[in-house]
C-alpha cells in the first residue's frame, strides 16, 4: 500500500467530502474516489459511509484512521532518526583501547571529536591489545587502537601515531648520564614490564631477544604511572612510549632515547573490514586521519 494513499484517506476523513478533499489534494474527484475504493477492496472493508450528504467513517474506517495516524508518524520518526544518524546527531561508537593507549588517544582524538558531535556517545573498553583485536574481529566493538597488529588480515587499518619507546630509569642510575642508551646496555638490568597481553611488552621482549638477551622481569603492571613510580623507587628500568614519557613529572626519574635498536611504537586504528562501517565510524576515521601524528614527532604520511 502506497503511503501517499494513506494521506488521501486522512483528507477525506477530515473534510467528510470527496469533492473538497480532491480539491485540497489537487486531483479530480473521480480519481480520488477510485483510489479510496481500491484501498477498501485491498483491506476488505468499507471505510466510508457514502449514503448521506457528508461522507462518514464506518467503524472499520475509524479504526483504520487511528492506525494510519500511527503509521505516518512512525514513518516520519524513521526519516528524522535516519537523518539524525547520517548527520551524526545521534549514535554510539564502541572503541577498544589498551590502558597505556587510552591516556594518549582519548584527549587527542575522542575528546575533541565529541566537542564537534556532542550527542554522539562513546563507549570505551579497556583491554590488552590482543583482546582488542579479537573484539574487533568478532564485532563486539566498532574500533580498536593497538600497536600495529602482526596479522592485518581481516582488519582495516589507519595510522595514528608513529613514535618510539624511551628508557625510563632512576636519576642516580649510571646510564642516566650516558644518553643515548643501547638496548644491550640493559641486559643485566631488572625490567619493569607491562602485563601479559600488552603490545608494548611483546615488542620489548622481541627487541631484547634480537639483541641477544632475555630480560629479567622484576615487576609487572597494567598501569604506566605505577611503572614510573617503581622506577623512582629504584626497582628497575622501564621502556615506555614517548607519548607516555612526556607525562612523567617525577623528579627522581630520567627519560632517555633508545638506540641500536630503536623500538618503534606505531599505533593504528583498526576495524573489521568485512563489517558495515557506520556514518559515525566513517566520520571518526576521517577525523583521526586529519588529527593523527605525534606531538613533536615524525608527522604521519
Amino acid at each position: 500500500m502506497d503511503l501517499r494513499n494513506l494521506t488521501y484517506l486522512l483528507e477525506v476523513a477530515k473534510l467528510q467530502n470527496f469533492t473538497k478533499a480532491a480539491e485540497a489534494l489537487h486531483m479530480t474527484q473521480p480519481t480520488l474516489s477510485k483510489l479510496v475504493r481500491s484501498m477498501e477492496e485491498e483491506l476488505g472493508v468499507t471505510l466510508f459511509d457514502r449514503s448521506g450528504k457528508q461522507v462518514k467513517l464506518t467503524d472499520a474506517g475509524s479504526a483504520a484512521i487511528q492506525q494510519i495516524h500511527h503509521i505516518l508518524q512512525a514513518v516520519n520518526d524513521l526519516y528524522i532518526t535516519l537523518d539524525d544518524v547520517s548527520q551524526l546527531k545521534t549514535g554510539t561508537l564502541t572503541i577498544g583501547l589498551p590502558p597505556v593507549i587510552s591516556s594518549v588517544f582519548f584527549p587527542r582524538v575522542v575528546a575533541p571529536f565529541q566537542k564537534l558531535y556532542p550527542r554522539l556517545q562513546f563507549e570505551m573498553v579497556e583491554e590488552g591489545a590482543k583482546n582488542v583485536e579479537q573484539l574487533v574481529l568478532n564485532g563486539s566493538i566498532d574500533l580498536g587502537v593497538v600497536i600495529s597488529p602482526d596479522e592485518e588480515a581481516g582488519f582495516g587499518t589507519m595510522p595514528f601515531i608513529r613514535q618510539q619507546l624511551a628508557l625510563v630509569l632512576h636519576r642516580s642510575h649510571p646510564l642516566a648520564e650516558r644518553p643515548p642508551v643501547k638496548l644491550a646496555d640493559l641486559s643485566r638490568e631488572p625490567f619493569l614490564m607491562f602485563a601479559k597481553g600488552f603490545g608494548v611488552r611483546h615488542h620489548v621482549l622481541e627487541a631484547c631477544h634480537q639483541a641477544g638477551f632475555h630480560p629479567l622481569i622484576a615487576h609487572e603492571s597494567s598501569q604506566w604511572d605505577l611503572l614510573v613510580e617503581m622506577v623512582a623507587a629504584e626497582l628497575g628500568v622501564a621502556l615506555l612510549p614517548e607519548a607516555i614519557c612526556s607525562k612523567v613529572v617525577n623528579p627522581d626519574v630520567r627519560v632517555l632515547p633508545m638506540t641500536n635498536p630503536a623500538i618503534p611504537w606505531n599505533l593504528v586504528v583498526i576495524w573489521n573490514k568485512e563489517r558495515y562501517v557506520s556514518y559515525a565510524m566513517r566520520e571518526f576515521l576521517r577525523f583521526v586521519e586529519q588529527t593523527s601524528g605525534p606531538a613533536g614527532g615524525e608527522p604521519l604520511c
Side-chain angles (χ1 to χ4, degrees):
M1 181 178 293
D2 193 329
L3 290 175
R4 182 174 50 186
N5 291 349
L6 299 181
T7 64
Y8 298 163
L9 294 179
L10 292 181
E11 195 67 23
V12 175
K14 181 176 79 171
L15 297 178
Q16 298 184 332
N17 184 284
F18 274 93
T19 301
K20 292 180 180 180
E23 291 174 356
L25 294 169
H26 305 290
M27 62 175 59
T28 65
Q29 184 270 330
T31 299
L32 178 59
S33 296
K34 183 178 180 180
L35 285 171
V36 172
R37 182 70 69 185
S38 175
M39 283 186 280
E40 288 178 322
E41 292 175 357
E42 181 178 348
L43 294 171
V45 295
T46 299
L47 300 174
F48 295 100
D49 179 358
R50 301 166 174 78
S51 60
K53 292 184 178 180
Q54 287 186 320
V55 177
K56 294 183 178 181
L57 288 168
T58 63
D59 290 345
S62 295
I65 291 299
Q66 289 183 7
Q67 292 304 314
I68 289 170
H69 279 296
H70 293 318
I71 291 169
L72 295 178
Q73 183 61 54
V75 171
N76 184 61
D77 290 346
L78 172 63
Y79 282 113
I80 291 173
T81 299
L82 293 179
D83 182 65
D84 282 351
V85 170
S86 65
Q87 298 301 317
L88 301 190
K89 297 176 183 177
T90 187
T92 301
L93 273 178
T94 306
I95 302 179
L97 298 163
V100 66
I101 292 174
S102 61
S103 61
V104 176
F105 191 77
F106 186 86
R108 292 183 63 171
V109 179
V110 176
F113 187 79
Q114 275 204 300
K115 288 182 180 179
L116 293 176
Y117 303 104
R119 294 175 62 184
L120 190 67
Q121 300 298 311
F122 279 86
E123 294 180 4
M124 301 297 180
V125 177
E126 285 198 328
E127 292 282 353
K130 295 302 178 184
N131 286 343
V132 168
E133 291 176 20
Q134 188 57 47
L135 291 172
V136 169
L137 286 177
N138 67 28
S140 298
I141 59 177
D142 299 313
L143 299 163
V145 185
V146 298
I147 296 176
S148 301
D150 294 330
E151 298 293 335
E152 294 190 0
F155 291 120
T157 63
M158 176 179 291
F160 170 54
I161 283 180
R162 289 177 184 161
Q163 289 187 348
Q164 297 176 356
L165 299 186
L167 174 64
V168 182
L169 73 174
H170 193 269
R171 61 185 176 86
S172 65
H173 195 287
L175 293 174
E177 304 302 325
R178 293 169 46 196
V181 179
K182 297 179 181 179
L183 187 58
D185 296 337
L186 305 176
S187 61
R188 298 182 181 277
E189 298 291 336
F191 274 67
L192 306 171
M193 286 275 203
F194 280 105
K196 293 178 181 178
F198 282 74
V200 175
R201 178 193 178 102
H202 171 75
H203 284 271
V204 169
L205 289 174
E206 189 175 69
C208 290
H209 293 158
Q210 290 178 356
F213 71 96
H214 183 81
L216 170 63
I217 301 175
H219 297 282
E220 301 176 356
S221 175
S222 62
Q223 304 298 322
W224 69 265
D225 50 350
L226 178 56
L227 292 176
V228 171
E229 291 305 310
M230 286 192 283
V231 170
E234 299 185 80
L235 297 177
V237 300
L239 292 170
L240 301 177
E242 290 174 341
I244 296 299
C245 291
S246 67
K247 300 174 181 293
V248 175
V249 295
N250 193 312
D252 290 328
V253 304
R254 295 287 184 269
V255 177
L256 303 179
M258 289 291 304
T259 62
N260 194 24
I263 306 175
W265 191 64
N266 300 331
L267 297 185
V268 296
V269 180
I270 61 172
W271 64 95
N272 188 329
K273 64 184 181 182
E274 302 299 328
R275 292 180 176 269
Y276 171 72
V277 178
S278 68
Y279 287 100
M281 286 176 63
R282 292 176 211 171
E283 187 60 30
F284 186 73
L285 289 170
R286 275 195 290 267
F287 188 80
V288 170
E289 188 174 30
Q290 293 168 3
T291 60
S292 60
E298 174 191 351
L300 291 173
C301 299

